[in-house]
Amino acid sequence: MKSRCYNPNVYAYKWYGGKGITICPEWLSKNGVEYFIEWALNNGYREGLTIDRINPDKPYSPNNCQWITRSENSKRAKHKRKAFVKSNENGLHFKIDVMQALKDKGYNTNTLRKNKLLAEGALQHLRRSEPVSWSNIEQLCKLLECQPADILEYIPDTAEKEESTNE
Protein backbone atom coordinates (compact mmCIF):
# COMPACT_ATOMS: atom_id res chain seq x y z
CA MET A 1 0.00 0.00 0.00
CA LYS A 2 2.75 2.45 0.97
CA SER A 3 4.93 1.54 -2.02
CA ARG A 4 2.24 1.99 -4.63
CA CYS A 5 1.20 5.32 -3.10
CA TYR A 6 4.60 6.84 -2.38
CA ASN A 7 7.33 5.09 -4.39
CA PRO A 8 7.46 6.28 -8.03
CA ASN A 9 9.81 3.39 -8.84
CA VAL A 10 7.07 0.82 -8.20
CA TYR A 11 5.27 -0.22 -11.38
CA ALA A 12 1.76 0.29 -9.95
CA TYR A 13 2.60 3.79 -8.66
CA LYS A 14 1.04 5.45 -11.73
CA TRP A 15 -2.40 4.08 -10.76
CA TYR A 16 -2.07 5.09 -7.12
CA GLY A 17 0.41 7.76 -6.03
CA GLY A 18 0.64 9.00 -9.60
CA LYS A 19 -3.09 9.73 -9.48
CA GLY A 20 -2.92 11.32 -6.04
CA ILE A 21 -3.99 8.34 -3.95
CA THR A 22 -2.59 8.62 -0.42
CA ILE A 23 -2.87 6.91 2.95
CA CYS A 24 -4.60 8.62 5.88
CA PRO A 25 -2.32 10.37 8.41
CA GLU A 26 -3.42 8.00 11.19
CA TRP A 27 -2.05 4.95 9.31
CA LEU A 28 1.18 6.82 8.47
CA SER A 29 1.81 8.10 11.99
CA LYS A 30 4.42 6.82 14.44
CA ASN A 31 1.93 4.20 15.69
CA GLY A 32 0.36 3.79 12.28
CA VAL A 33 1.06 0.09 11.93
CA GLU A 34 -0.70 -0.61 15.23
CA TYR A 35 -3.67 1.56 14.21
CA PHE A 36 -3.87 -0.21 10.86
CA ILE A 37 -3.70 -3.69 12.43
CA GLU A 38 -6.38 -2.78 14.97
CA TRP A 39 -8.62 -1.42 12.21
CA ALA A 40 -7.99 -4.50 10.03
CA LEU A 41 -8.82 -7.00 12.77
CA ASN A 42 -11.99 -5.09 13.72
CA ASN A 43 -13.15 -4.73 10.12
CA GLY A 44 -13.21 -8.18 8.61
CA TYR A 45 -9.58 -8.97 7.84
CA ARG A 46 -8.80 -12.64 7.39
CA GLU A 47 -6.21 -14.56 5.42
CA GLY A 48 -6.84 -14.56 1.68
CA LEU A 49 -8.46 -11.12 1.57
CA THR A 50 -7.00 -7.95 0.13
CA ILE A 51 -7.56 -4.33 1.03
CA ASP A 52 -9.83 -2.36 -1.29
CA ARG A 53 -10.75 1.30 -1.44
CA ILE A 54 -14.53 1.65 -1.62
CA ASN A 55 -14.26 4.93 -3.52
CA PRO A 56 -11.26 4.49 -5.86
CA ASP A 57 -10.71 8.25 -6.00
CA LYS A 58 -10.28 8.63 -2.25
CA PRO A 59 -7.33 7.68 0.01
CA TYR A 60 -6.70 4.53 1.99
CA SER A 61 -8.44 5.26 5.29
CA PRO A 62 -10.67 3.51 7.84
CA ASN A 63 -13.86 4.94 6.34
CA ASN A 64 -12.88 4.16 2.73
CA CYS A 65 -11.42 0.66 2.95
CA GLN A 66 -12.81 -2.84 3.12
CA TRP A 67 -11.48 -6.40 2.87
CA ILE A 68 -12.50 -8.37 -0.22
CA THR A 69 -11.22 -11.37 -2.19
CA ARG A 70 -8.69 -10.87 -4.98
CA SER A 71 -11.34 -12.04 -7.41
CA GLU A 72 -13.78 -9.35 -6.23
CA ASN A 73 -10.98 -6.79 -6.30
CA SER A 74 -10.04 -7.63 -9.87
CA LYS A 75 -13.67 -7.18 -10.97
CA ARG A 76 -13.70 -3.72 -9.39
CA ALA A 77 -10.42 -2.62 -10.96
CA LYS A 78 -10.53 0.21 -13.48
CA HIS A 79 -7.84 -1.31 -15.67
CA LYS A 80 -8.47 -4.45 -17.74
CA ARG A 81 -7.74 -7.84 -16.22
CA LYS A 82 -9.45 -10.14 -18.68
CA ALA A 83 -6.57 -11.45 -20.79
CA PHE A 84 -5.42 -14.95 -19.97
CA VAL A 85 -1.92 -16.22 -20.61
CA LYS A 86 -1.50 -19.50 -22.46
CA SER A 87 -0.11 -22.07 -20.08
CA ASN A 88 -0.94 -25.42 -18.55
CA GLU A 89 -2.56 -23.60 -15.63
CA ASN A 90 -5.73 -21.54 -15.39
CA GLY A 91 -6.22 -18.32 -13.55
CA LEU A 92 -3.39 -16.12 -14.84
CA HIS A 93 -4.65 -12.63 -15.57
CA PHE A 94 -3.08 -9.36 -16.53
CA LYS A 95 -3.08 -6.95 -13.59
CA ILE A 96 -2.90 -4.04 -16.02
CA ASP A 97 -4.12 -2.91 -19.41
CA VAL A 98 -1.03 -4.00 -21.35
CA MET A 99 -1.80 -1.94 -24.46
CA GLN A 100 -2.13 1.20 -22.32
CA ALA A 101 1.09 0.38 -20.47
CA LEU A 102 2.92 0.02 -23.79
CA LYS A 103 1.44 3.33 -24.95
CA ASP A 104 2.54 4.97 -21.68
CA LYS A 105 6.09 3.72 -22.39
CA GLY A 106 5.99 5.36 -25.84
CA TYR A 107 5.17 2.30 -27.95
CA ASN A 108 2.33 2.54 -30.42
CA THR A 109 1.12 -0.36 -32.55
CA ASN A 110 2.91 0.94 -35.64
CA THR A 111 6.25 1.09 -33.80
CA LEU A 112 5.71 -2.37 -32.30
CA ARG A 113 4.84 -3.79 -35.74
CA LYS A 114 7.52 -1.93 -37.71
CA ASN A 115 10.33 -2.85 -35.31
CA LYS A 116 8.99 -6.42 -34.96
CA LEU A 117 8.79 -6.02 -31.18
CA LEU A 118 5.47 -7.89 -31.06
CA ALA A 119 3.87 -9.83 -33.89
CA GLU A 120 0.57 -8.69 -35.36
CA GLY A 121 -1.16 -11.76 -33.94
CA ALA A 122 0.05 -10.97 -30.41
CA LEU A 123 -1.13 -7.36 -30.75
CA GLN A 124 -4.57 -8.54 -31.87
CA HIS A 125 -4.75 -10.97 -28.95
CA LEU A 126 -3.77 -8.25 -26.47
CA ARG A 127 -6.30 -5.80 -27.93
CA ARG A 128 -9.09 -8.39 -27.61
CA SER A 129 -7.95 -9.62 -24.18
CA GLU A 130 -7.19 -13.08 -25.54
CA PRO A 131 -4.39 -15.48 -24.51
CA VAL A 132 -0.79 -14.73 -25.42
CA SER A 133 2.28 -16.97 -25.28
CA TRP A 134 5.00 -16.98 -22.64
CA SER A 135 7.47 -15.64 -25.22
CA ASN A 136 5.17 -12.64 -25.63
CA ILE A 137 5.08 -12.20 -21.84
CA GLU A 138 8.88 -12.21 -21.87
CA GLN A 139 8.89 -9.54 -24.61
CA LEU A 140 6.34 -7.45 -22.72
CA CYS A 141 8.57 -7.57 -19.62
CA LYS A 142 11.51 -6.34 -21.71
CA LEU A 143 9.48 -3.53 -23.27
CA LEU A 144 7.86 -2.46 -20.00
CA GLU A 145 11.05 -2.99 -17.98
CA CYS A 146 9.25 -5.08 -15.41
CA GLN A 147 8.92 -8.55 -13.94
CA PRO A 148 6.07 -10.94 -14.82
CA ALA A 149 4.61 -10.39 -11.34
CA ASP A 150 4.27 -6.69 -12.18
CA ILE A 151 1.84 -7.47 -14.98
CA LEU A 152 0.36 -10.88 -14.08
CA GLU A 153 -1.54 -12.25 -11.14
CA TYR A 154 -3.01 -15.63 -10.32
CA ILE A 155 -6.70 -15.68 -9.50
CA PRO A 156 -7.93 -19.25 -9.06
CA ASP A 157 -11.15 -20.12 -10.80
CA THR A 158 -14.01 -20.77 -8.35
CA ALA A 159 -14.49 -24.30 -9.72
CA GLU A 160 -10.74 -24.94 -9.38
CA LYS A 161 -10.83 -23.80 -5.72
CA GLU A 162 -13.76 -26.11 -4.95
CA GLU A 163 -12.01 -29.03 -6.67
CA SER A 164 -8.82 -28.61 -4.60
CA THR A 165 -10.88 -28.26 -1.40
CA ASN A 166 -12.69 -31.55 -2.11
CA GLU A 167 -9.48 -33.53 -2.67
Side-chain angles (χ1 to χ4, degrees), residues 36-45 67:
F36 176 78
I37 291 170
E38 182 181 345
W39 170 84
L41 295 174
N42 290 326
N43 286 278
Y45 170 80
W67 295 100

Side-chain angles (χ1 to χ4, degrees), residues 64-153:
N64 191 44
C65 287
Q66 62 185 346
W67 295 100
I68 62 176
T69 65
R70 290 191 186 280
S71 179
E72 291 168 316
N73 198 342
S74 69
K75 289 174 189 169
R76 289 178 43 86
K78 285 187 175 182
H79 36 275
K80 294 180 186 176
R81 296 177 182 245
K82 293 181 182 173
F84 290 88
V85 179
K86 284 183 186 173
S87 73
N88 293 330
E89 300 171 10
N90 294 321
L92 287 175
H93 299 264
F94 283 111
K95 293 163 80 169
I96 62 169
D97 179 339
V98 175
M99 293 305 291
Q100 185 61 51
L102 288 166
K103 185 178 177 183
D104 292 347
K105 276 283 194 180
Y107 297 105
N108 62 42
T109 51
N110 290 334
T111 303
L112 293 166
R113 246 186 248 114
K114 181 180 163 188
N115 296 323
K116 298 183 180 179
L117 299 173
L118 286 169
E120 180 60 34
L123 290 170
Q124 289 177 9
H125 284 279
L126 290 168
R127 269 191 231 106
R128 294 189 304 242
S129 297
E130 295 175 348
V132 295
S133 70
W134 283 109
S135 60
N136 283 315
I137 295 299
E138 181 180 6
Q139 182 65 1
L140 288 170
C141 287
K142 287 177 187 174
L143 296 171
L144 297 172
E145 300 173 351
C146 69
Q147 295 295 315
D150 295 327
I151 60 174
L152 296 173
E153 68 180 337

